[in-house]
């Protein structure tokens, strides 16, 4: 069990949240949600002991082990893969290291012999004999297969390093597990495996995630950071959303009723306060007026961008034909004889475990890369706008402020018009004068979406657009793409995003070439039945 007792966190005298009193119990999974900047990741650091709160304290049941998902992909580059996972239980590793040091001696003293006996006993209690096989099971479950287990971390690509660090956090069934965005950069299979693992875990789990499907699948409780405080709800993300929407509606309706009642009471008091026969009634109504709570509803820290793509023209009958496409990257054939035809108004999700294959295909479709073999043919009435998974070329080292940056990608002339569009993406006032090079990941994504909306394209190509976005921005983008009347080609690891948008699934992974007109959930079900 871990508890926050009257915890407060302030920066420069301004509180992010105050009076946080929450007990996190064993066997439950808590989803920590809130707008960007609300303090979710910071609160996890307070719970782990990495940061001290401004006020209050954290209480942990004595003897319970806390495990934290690490975000530094290079921290263990000097370690082997299995060793990195085992470091999830640092005390076990210390015992293993001390044991090895003692056994390396040709002879040891009676005192060292007794110490070795103690170590062996504790090693057995910690299930040390099965530690390496447990680490291998975790790695294989997450898709880090046997050929990687004996390698150094520095030899692994980043997408596998992420999985090894996740295995490290899960290793040894910690009593308390803290995870910040655990599904980032995971493929479909790894996310599904993690969901199943967490549902069977009897630990206390606290997780920050922008993946709505993941939160719904694993969370028994939701902790919302908003209005400068924390509120605990029993239920997953969908339950929290439905309940808070209903509650907000009720409060607004009650406010309207109270305001109408107040106006009625004021009119009566003004009319009859000087009337001796009605003075008692006027006094009574004055007391009633004073008892009404007419305070304004608290302002939420959540902000929803306005996402609405409007194509300038409809697509004709011919949209896109891809024939026998092949491409080799870094000596590896990532696209092999890929062929498909896209019809008008289709919304196609490209899936599969090979992220390089999907990104390469999208770059070729967007004209940023040439194939080694094969052809692509766009219809003459098509115009496309491309959202790359790596947008650094649009921002790194760019000295323009956002007003000038957006002008470069649009026909907008007047500053008021540019500011209006930036305001839709939550860059109002001085925020519109920020330099492009200093933007955060989420801010960059919102700028790219604004650029795409202004393009008027009738074909939208998205490579992982939900990365770096908060839940509110993802929901807005999700709704905007559902409403888009023309063609979308996209890839995303966000389950709900894909399920609610796609009507066709294509897998371009070498050897797969899966292509069917069906929903994402139907596709996943078909994989189970194969």
């Amino acid at each position: 069990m871990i508890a926050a007792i009257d915890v407060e966190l302030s920066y420069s005298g301004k509180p992010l949240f105050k009076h946080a009193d929450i007990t996190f119990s064993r066997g439950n999974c808590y989803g920590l949600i809130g707008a960007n900047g609300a303090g979710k990741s910071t609160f996890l650091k307070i719970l782990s002991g990495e940061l001290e709160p401004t006020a209050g304290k954290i209480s942990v049941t004595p003897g319970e082990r806390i495990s934290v998902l690490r975000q530094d992909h290079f921290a263990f580059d000097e370690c082997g893969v299995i060793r990195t996972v085992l470091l999830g239980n640092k005390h076990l590793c210390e015992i293993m290291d001390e044991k090895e040091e003692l056994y390396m001696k040709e002879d040891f003293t009676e005192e060292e012999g007794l110490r070795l006996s103690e170590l062996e006993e504790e090693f057995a209690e910690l299930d040390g004999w099965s530690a390496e096989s447990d680490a291998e099971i975790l790695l294989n479950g997450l898709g880090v297969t046997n050929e990687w287990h004996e390698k150094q971390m520095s030899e692994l690509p980043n997408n596998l390093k992420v999985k090894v660090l996740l295995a490290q956090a899960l290793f040894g069934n910690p009593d308390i597990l803290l995870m910040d965005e655990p599904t980032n950069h995971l493929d479909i299979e790894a996310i599904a495996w993690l969901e199943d693992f967490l549902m069977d875990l009897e630990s206390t789990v606290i997780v920050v995630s922008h993946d709505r499907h993941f939160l719904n699948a694993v969370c028994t409780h939701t902790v919302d950071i908003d209005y400068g405080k924390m509120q605990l709800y029993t239920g997953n993300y969908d339950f929290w959303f439905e309940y808070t929407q209903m509650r907000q509606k009720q409060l607004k309706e009650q406010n309207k009723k109270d305001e109408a009642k107040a106006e009625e009471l004021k009119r009566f008091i003004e009319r009859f306060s000087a009337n001796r026969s009605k003075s008692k009634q006027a006094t009574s109504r004055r007391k009633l007026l004073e008892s009404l709570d007419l305070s304004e509803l608290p302002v939420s820290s959540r902000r929803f961008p306005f996402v609405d793509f409007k194509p300038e023209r409809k697509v004709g009958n011919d949209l896109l034909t891809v024939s026998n496409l092949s491409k080799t990257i870094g000596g590896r054939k990532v696209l092999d004889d890929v062929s498909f035809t896209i019809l008008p108004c289709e919304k196609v999700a490209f899936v599969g475990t090979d992220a390089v294959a999907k990104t390469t295909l999208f770059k070729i479709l967007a004209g940023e890369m040439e194939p080694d073999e094969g052809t692509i043919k766009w219809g003459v009435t098509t115009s496309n706008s491309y959202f790359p998974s790596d947008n650094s070329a649009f921002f790194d080292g760019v000295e323009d402020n956002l007003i000038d940056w957006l002008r470069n990608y649009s026909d907008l002339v007047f500053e008021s018009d540019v500011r209006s569009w930036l305001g839709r993406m939550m860059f109002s006032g001085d925020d519109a004068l920020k330099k492009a090079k200093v933007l955060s990941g989420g801010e960059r994504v919102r700028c790219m979406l604004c650029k795409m909306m202004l393009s008027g394209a009738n074909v939208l190509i998205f490579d992982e657009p939900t990365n770096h976005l908060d839940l509110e921005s993802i929901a807005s983008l999700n709704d905007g793409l559902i409403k888009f009347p023309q063609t979308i080609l996209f890839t995303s690891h966000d389950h709900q995003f894909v399920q609610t948008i796609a009507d066709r699934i294509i897998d371009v992974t070498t050897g797969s070439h899966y292509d069917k007109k069906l929903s994402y959930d139907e596709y996943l079900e078909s994989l189970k039945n194969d």
Side-chain angles (χ1 to χ4, degrees), residues 290-333:
E290 290 170 357
S291 69
L292 287 176
D293 183 9
L294 296 176
S295 57
E296 291 185 7
L297 292 175
V299 178
S300 173
S301 59
R302 287 184 166 83
R303 297 290 181 268
F304 291 82
F306 178 78
V307 180
D308 188 21
F309 299 93
K310 291 190 180 298
E312 290 179 355
R313 65 183 297 186
K314 289 183 179 180
V315 176
N317 293 330
D318 297 324
L319 195 140
L320 172 64
T321 301
V322 174
S323 302
N324 310 114
L325 210 65
S326 294
K327 183 69 179 180
T328 298
I329 302 287
R332 182 169 73 89
K333 203 166 193 177

Side-chain angles (χ1 to χ4, degrees), residues 353-420:
T353 56
D354 193 347
V356 176
K358 291 176 284 189
T359 294
T360 301
L361 173 64
F362 285 1
K363 284 184 176 180
I364 292 171
L365 294 180
E368 295 191 357
M369 184 182 287
E370 290 294 323
D372 296 334
E373 300 173 35
T375 60
I376 62 167
K377 184 180 178 182
W378 286 101
V380 294
T381 58
T382 61
S383 58
N384 67 69
S385 185
Y386 172 48
F387 180 101
S389 57
D390 180 5
N391 57 36
S392 56
F394 293 88
F395 300 98
D396 286 356
V398 177
E399 296 291 337
D400 287 344
N401 62 35
L402 294 191
I403 293 172
D404 293 331
W405 183 91
L406 193 57
R407 275 197 180 117
N408 294 333
Y409 299 105
S410 71
D411 296 328
L412 299 175
V413 176
F414 298 109
E415 183 174 318
S416 58
D417 293 335
V418 180
R419 281 184 173 274
S420 176

Side-chain angles (χ1 to χ4, degrees), residues 284-519:
S284 175
R285 280 165 170 75
R286 188 175 288 107
K287 290 179 180 178
L288 186 57
L289 177 63
E290 290 170 357
S291 69
L292 287 176
D293 183 9
L294 296 176
S295 57
E296 291 185 7
L297 292 175
V299 178
S300 173
S301 59
R302 287 184 166 83
R303 297 290 181 268
F304 291 82
F306 178 78
V307 180
D308 188 21
F309 299 93
K310 291 190 180 298
E312 290 179 355
R313 65 183 297 186
K314 289 183 179 180
V315 176
N317 293 330
D318 297 324
L319 195 140
L320 172 64
T321 301
V322 174
S323 302
N324 310 114
L325 210 65
S326 294
K327 183 69 179 180
T328 298
I329 302 287
R332 182 169 73 89
K333 203 166 193 177
V334 296
L335 296 175
D336 185 14
D337 198 28
V338 173
S339 298
F340 56 83
T341 299
I342 304 295
L343 301 176
C345 302
E346 285 192 312
K347 297 182 178 181
V348 186
F350 288 80
V351 301
T353 56
D354 193 347
V356 176
K358 291 176 284 189
T359 294
T360 301
L361 173 64
F362 285 1
K363 284 184 176 180
I364 292 171
L365 294 180
E368 295 191 357
M369 184 182 287
E370 290 294 323
D372 296 334
E373 300 173 35
T375 60
I376 62 167
K377 184 180 178 182
W378 286 101
V380 294
T381 58
T382 61
S383 58
N384 67 69
S385 185
Y386 172 48
F387 180 101
S389 57
D390 180 5
N391 57 36
S392 56
F394 293 88
F395 300 98
D396 286 356
V398 177
E399 296 291 337
D400 287 344
N401 62 35
L402 294 191
I403 293 172
D404 293 331
W405 183 91
L406 193 57
R407 275 197 180 117
N408 294 333
Y409 299 105
S410 71
D411 296 328
L412 299 175
V413 176
F414 298 109
E415 183 174 318
S416 58
D417 293 335
V418 180
R419 281 184 173 274
S420 176
W421 276 95
L422 288 171
R424 294 181 180 191
M425 290 290 106
M426 304 187 299
F427 296 105
S428 57
D430 289 342
D431 286 342
L433 299 177
K434 281 184 178 180
K435 288 194 174 183
K437 66 179 183 180
V438 303
L439 297 182
S440 67
E443 288 172 329
R444 288 184 174 195
V445 171
R446 284 187 270 126
C447 283
M448 293 297 291
L449 294 176
C450 193
K451 166 183 170 291
M452 292 180 75
M453 283 192 285
L454 283 164
S455 72
N458 52 27
V459 180
L460 304 178
I461 305 172
F462 289 98
D463 191 356
E464 294 291 353
T466 62
N467 285 353
H468 306 294
L469 290 181
D470 58 18
L471 283 164
E472 292 71 39
S473 297
I474 291 173
S476 295
L477 176 58
N478 202 157
D479 291 342
L481 294 186
I482 289 171
K483 290 187 294 184
F484 184 66
Q486 296 296 309
T487 301
I488 304 172
L489 311 178
F490 73 105
T491 182
S492 174
H493 66 269
D494 186 306
H495 185 122
Q496 189 167 336
F497 190 81
V498 181
Q499 169 61 19
T500 53
I501 296 170
D503 56 21
R504 180 178 170 186
I505 305 293
I506 295 178
D507 185 349
V508 293
T509 304
T510 300
S512 175
H513 293 194
Y514 184 100
D515 184 355
K516 285 190 179 179
K517 192 86 171 171
L518 76 179
S519 73

Side-chain angles (χ1 to χ4, degrees), residues 205-344:
V205 181
I206 306 170
V207 59
V208 172
S209 177
H210 63 249
D211 187 325
R212 294 161 294 173
H213 182 272
F214 179 75
L215 291 173
N216 282 327
V218 304
C219 291
T220 59
H221 296 72
T222 300
V223 179
D224 182 27
I225 305 180
D226 202 0
Y227 308 110
K229 62 181 182 179
M230 290 190 192
Q231 182 70 42
L232 175 65
Y233 299 86
T234 301
N236 61 15
Y237 176 82
D238 276 353
F239 173 84
W240 164 83
F241 183 80
E242 290 170 11
Y243 173 80
T244 52
Q245 291 295 106
M246 178 189 70
R247 183 64 182 146
Q248 195 71 7
K249 183 179 178 182
Q250 289 174 340
L251 289 172
K252 286 179 180 177
E253 289 174 352
Q254 186 60 50
N255 248 27
K256 285 183 180 179
K257 289 178 182 178
D258 288 347
E259 287 171 2
K261 182 68 174 175
E263 288 301 317
E264 180 186 332
L265 292 171
K266 286 176 184 176
R267 286 195 298 270
F268 186 93
I269 294 166
E270 289 171 1
R271 183 177 178 186
F272 296 109
S273 58
N275 187 319
R276 185 173 294 180
S277 64
K278 298 280 189 178
S279 62
K280 285 187 178 180
Q281 293 179 44
T283 301
S284 175
R285 280 165 170 75
R286 188 175 288 107
K287 290 179 180 178
L288 186 57
L289 177 63
E290 290 170 357
S291 69
L292 287 176
D293 183 9
L294 296 176
S295 57
E296 291 185 7
L297 292 175
V299 178
S300 173
S301 59
R302 287 184 166 83
R303 297 290 181 268
F304 291 82
F306 178 78
V307 180
D308 188 21
F309 299 93
K310 291 190 180 298
E312 290 179 355
R313 65 183 297 186
K314 289 183 179 180
V315 176
N317 293 330
D318 297 324
L319 195 140
L320 172 64
T321 301
V322 174
S323 302
N324 310 114
L325 210 65
S326 294
K327 183 69 179 180
T328 298
I329 302 287
R332 182 169 73 89
K333 203 166 193 177
V334 296
L335 296 175
D336 185 14
D337 198 28
V338 173
S339 298
F340 56 83
T341 299
I342 304 295
L343 301 176

